[in-house]
Amino acid sequence: VSVLYWPPGRESTMAVQQNILLDSEIRDWVLLPIVFILLCVGVLRHYLTLATKSKPKTQNVTSAAEQQLAAYSRLIITNAGFLPYDCLKQRAEWLHKQLTQPVENNQLAAAMDPSMMGDMMKRQVMMIVPQMVMMSVITALFQGFVVAKFPFSLSAKFKGMTQRGVDIDDLDGSYATSLSLYFLITFGLQGFLQLLLGQNEGDESQMMQQQMQNPTGQPAQQDMNKIYKALDEELQFTQDTHTYAFESATHLLLQGK
């Protein structure tokens, strides 16, 4: 139950317009323990994530060669103007032979990799289980306490967000309960944990973002056949529209320009 103090000789409706004095024991036995518990849970989640994190797989030779060939093709296309036409033609012919060779795609095998599915389940467990446990603990031990007041006024529309667990119609919306502050402190501590731990592996916002962008947690598989085809067409276009940047460099040098 919330411990509130109304000044004597005043009605409750008049007290809403005044500052409500909160018992200092609420700060010592409710607010500070919530911050301490969330801080300990954040540190524990960080080290548990590091302990259960799988080692990144080394890239095989075939995949590395495919990536290097694509990077070399882009390099030739970007700097084609600095090469004479004969040199560009030789490189373009060699790259055309390499880029037109079919490449095997193992996207299905990569998607069915047991280690990838295990990593996905680990991230989900590390994100959901601590949240459920903390919600149960906060609800059981600290529900029903008004612990703080925001330094700005809020309308009655925000009472459902700032006063969870307390149903007082005359209470101003700027007062926050322990359950509402739990959610604010959860996200507010992420910056402090990042300063304390460096790269916070247990950051819920980052884990949720990674879960939405890449559920498997592995680099996205690319269709190298489509990439090679696009690079071959772009290389052919670059060769047809080639202009040597140093065509008149010798004449300009002799003229002293």
Side-chain angles (χ1 to χ4, degrees):
V1 180
S2 304
V3 181
L4 304 178
Y5 170 73
W6 272 274
R10 302 271 186 171
E11 298 293 336
S12 61
T13 56
M14 294 295 294
V16 175
Q17 302 176 0
Q18 308 246 348
N19 290 330
I20 299 177
L21 303 179
L22 302 179
D23 196 336
S24 60
E25 293 186 0
I26 296 179
R27 176 197 60 200
D28 300 335
W29 297 102
V30 178
L31 181 59
L32 295 182
I34 290 176
V35 176
F36 178 75
I37 292 174
L38 290 178
L39 183 62
C40 294
V41 170
V43 175
L44 181 62
R45 180 186 295 168
H46 168 77
Y47 287 107
L48 284 178
T49 305
L50 290 178
T52 58
K53 190 175 183 180
S54 301
K55 295 182 180 179
K57 293 185 177 181
T58 57
Q59 192 177 25
N60 55 39
V61 178
T62 303
S63 178
E66 294 172 356
Q67 298 292 337
Q68 290 296 324
L69 180 60
Y72 180 67
S73 302
R74 295 188 183 95
L75 182 65
I76 294 298
I77 293 171
T78 304
N79 301 282
F82 301 104
L83 295 173
Y85 180 78
D86 295 337
C87 298
L88 177 63
K89 183 179 179 180
Q90 294 177 1
R91 289 167 172 79
E93 291 176 352
W94 181 83
L95 286 173
H96 176 71
K97 296 179 182 179
Q98 301 296 325
L99 295 175
T100 52
Q101 294 181 1
V103 179
E104 296 182 1
N105 290 324
N106 297 322
Q107 297 184 5
L108 181 60
M112 298 299 295
D113 189 358
S115 62
M116 295 174 57
M117 301 177 66
D119 293 340
M120 179 176 61
M121 294 189 63
K122 288 178 184 177
R123 285 199 306 273
Q124 290 180 349
V125 169
M126 294 301 299
M127 181 175 59
I128 297 175
V129 172
Q131 190 72 19
M132 295 176 59
V133 173
M134 287 301 303
M135 277 292 298
S136 302
V137 172
I138 297 299
T139 303
L141 299 181
F142 304 112
Q143 185 178 9
F145 289 94
V146 177
V147 296
K149 180 183 179 182
F150 293 108
F152 46 86
S153 60
L154 294 174
S155 62
K157 296 181 180 180
F158 292 93
K159 295 184 65 174
M161 182 173 57
T162 61
Q163 297 179 7
R164 294 185 179 182
V166 173
D167 188 11
I168 302 178
D169 296 335
D170 294 336
L171 187 61
D172 186 53
S174 60
Y175 288 93
T177 61
S178 56
L179 194 58
S180 299
L181 278 184
Y182 159 72
F183 295 102
L184 296 177
I185 296 173
T186 299
F187 294 100
L189 281 179
Q190 300 303 329
F192 177 76
L193 289 173
Q194 190 170 2
L195 293 176
L196 181 64
L197 302 172
Q199 181 65 29
N200 185 14
E201 297 291 341
D203 192 345
E204 289 186 357
S205 58
Q206 294 182 2
M207 294 172 68
M208 293 176 62
Q209 185 177 3
Q210 293 175 1
Q211 187 70 20
M212 290 186 294
Q213 294 178 352
N214 188 9
T216 61
Q218 298 292 333
Q221 298 293 327
Q222 298 178 342
D223 190 352
M224 297 306 298
N225 289 316
K226 295 182 180 179
I227 296 176
Y228 282 176
K229 183 179 179 181
L231 289 173
D232 186 43
E233 294 175 355
E234 189 173 357
L235 187 62
Q236 184 63 37
F237 176 78
T238 303
Q239 184 180 357
D240 295 338
T241 59
H242 175 263
T243 301
Y244 187 38
F246 302 123
E247 186 69 33
S248 59
T250 305
H251 301 285
L252 294 176
L253 181 61
L254 293 176
Q255 294 176 5
K257 296 183 180 179

